[in-house]
Every structure is written in C-alpha cells, then in structure tokens.
Amino acid sequence: MKDVGKSYSGEELADHWRKQYPITARGFDEDFLWMAAIILWKRFAPDVPSSEMLDDMMQHGYQLIERRGSDRKVVEACNIWLEVWEHLKTRFTPDMKSIDDAERVFTGMQSLYNWCQDLEQELHSAGLDEPAFFQKAIDYCHEFCKLFPESDELILHNMKRAEAEAHFALGRGADGDRLFEALIKQYPDNPWGYIGWCDMYAMEPRDVESARRIYEMGLNPMVKDTRDIIDRLKTLENER
C-alpha cells in the first residue's frame, strides 16, 4: 500500500521491487511479479487507479463507442472517460505545460495526445443525445487549455473551437461569438477558426448574412489557405 503511492503502474511497481528485493524468478515466472502487482493494486487500492486500470477504462470506452447502431453507447463511454480524466489530473504537475509533457505519467494502448482529442469529439456526440454533455465539453476543453497552454496549435485550436461550438449548441450565441473572436485573434492565419464560426450560422436556423460576413473576414492575406473558405462561401451562395 505504501509503494502504490510511489508508482503510477503495476509494471513500474514491479520494477521497484526487483531493485529492492533479491528476485530469483526466471523465464515465465518473471511475469508473475508485475501481474501480481497489477492484481494486488486493483484489490487493495481501487480508489487510486494504476495506469493499467485507467487503460482498461479507456479501452472499455472505445469498445462502447465502436459498437454499431443502437448498441453504440457514447454517453456511457464519455462518463467513463471523464472519470479517467479526473484521475489523470491528480498526476499532472505545474511543470507539465503541454500534453506531450504529461505522457510520462501514463502508459497504455493510447497516447494521451490522441485520447484527449477523442474525448473532446465524443463529448460533442454525447451532447447530441444529452445536451448536458455540451457543458461538460465546455468545462473539459477550457480545463485542458488551461492545464496545457504550450500544447501544439492543432490540439489547442481544436479544443477552443469545440468550446465555442458547444456554447452555440446550448443556445449561448453571444458567448460562442466571443470565443470565436478570441480564437481568430489568437490564430489569425488558421482558416478553421473562421470556418467553425461560419458553420454556426450556416446551420438551421440559418443566418446567411452573418455567415457570409465571417467567411469574407477569412478571405484575407494572413490566412494560410483560403480554399476551404471559398468552397463554403460558394456553397452558401448556391443554397440561397
């Protein structure tokens, strides 16, 4: 029980035991040590999940999401993953400025970099079934950006865009506008800030004039690639 507080995983704990005690097991018997560490941890300290236990929860979430049709359980998966997130947060330290820095506190089948983005996307999907999950998406995305402000632009932009979109989904257009304006100000060369904002007005109930205005804002020399903006603007005009 004391050693659990010094390790993140059963495998790490077993390595510690190998250094501390004269282990004579060889061959297949060597595997018993880390397997026993994982099982004993699960039995005696379930409230302090090991990386192996968190990984099992992650994989269970993926299994629920990957089911087909009515068997797909996105809400259940998101509840499990949000629990994983709460446990992971206890491992994060102030010196971890990016999600890449945080990889050292978790080992599993998924990298934290990929899984954190999957959680953002599935929270949106869960919100379509239960709107309360849009607020959970807002809280999660905001918290992620606050914890890891030096993550690469792709993931930060996606998180901030998802936060703004979730406000629109909850009928808070003014808050969504404010966040999109901040996103474009921070990343003026990224076309997807403009596209994401426009999409909010291009959907039903449509506000064509607002959508066109925002699309045209994105047609400026600072934006790296305006092709997608131009395509969307043409589609908007053709659908009038």
Side-chain angles (χ1 to χ4, degrees), residues 4 9 37 39 46 51 55 61 86 95 110 140 145 148 151 153 155 158 162 173 192 199-200 205 211 215 217 225 233:
V4 161
S9 69
I39 297 301
S51 288
D55 188 51
E86 290 300 315
D95 65 308
Q110 298 289 329
Y140 166 70
C145 294
F148 304 117
S151 295
E153 178 179 328
I155 191 169
N158 287 342
W192 291 98
D199 286 349
M200 299 300 97
Y215 279 139
M217 285 171 55
D225 187 347
L233 184 56

Side-chain angles (χ1 to χ4, degrees), residues 12-39:
E12 184 181 342
L13 180 53
D15 288 339
H16 169 68
W17 285 344
R18 287 191 184 95
K19 296 174 183 176
Q20 189 172 7
Y21 303 106
I23 308 299
T24 59
R26 295 293 181 268
F28 286 118
D29 289 340
E30 287 186 274
D31 292 339
F32 175 80
L33 191 62
W34 66 265
M35 295 171 70
I38 292 171
I39 297 301

Side-chain angles (χ1 to χ4, degrees), residues 26 32 44 69 75 109 125 149:
R26 295 293 181 268
F32 175 80
F44 293 113
V75 168
M109 294 182 67
S125 296

Side-chain angles (χ1 to χ4, degrees), residues 201-234:
Y201 288 98
M203 298 185 299
E204 298 294 339
R206 306 181 77 196
D207 183 343
V208 176
E209 292 306 316
S210 294
R212 183 193 296 109
R213 175 179 57 82
I214 299 168
Y215 279 139
E216 290 175 349
M217 285 171 55
L219 298 177
N220 69 76
M222 293 185 65
V223 178
K224 292 177 181 178
D225 187 347
T226 60
R227 287 176 296 180
D228 288 309
I229 296 177
I230 293 171
D231 288 342
R232 274 175 159 76
L233 184 56
K234 288 180 179 178

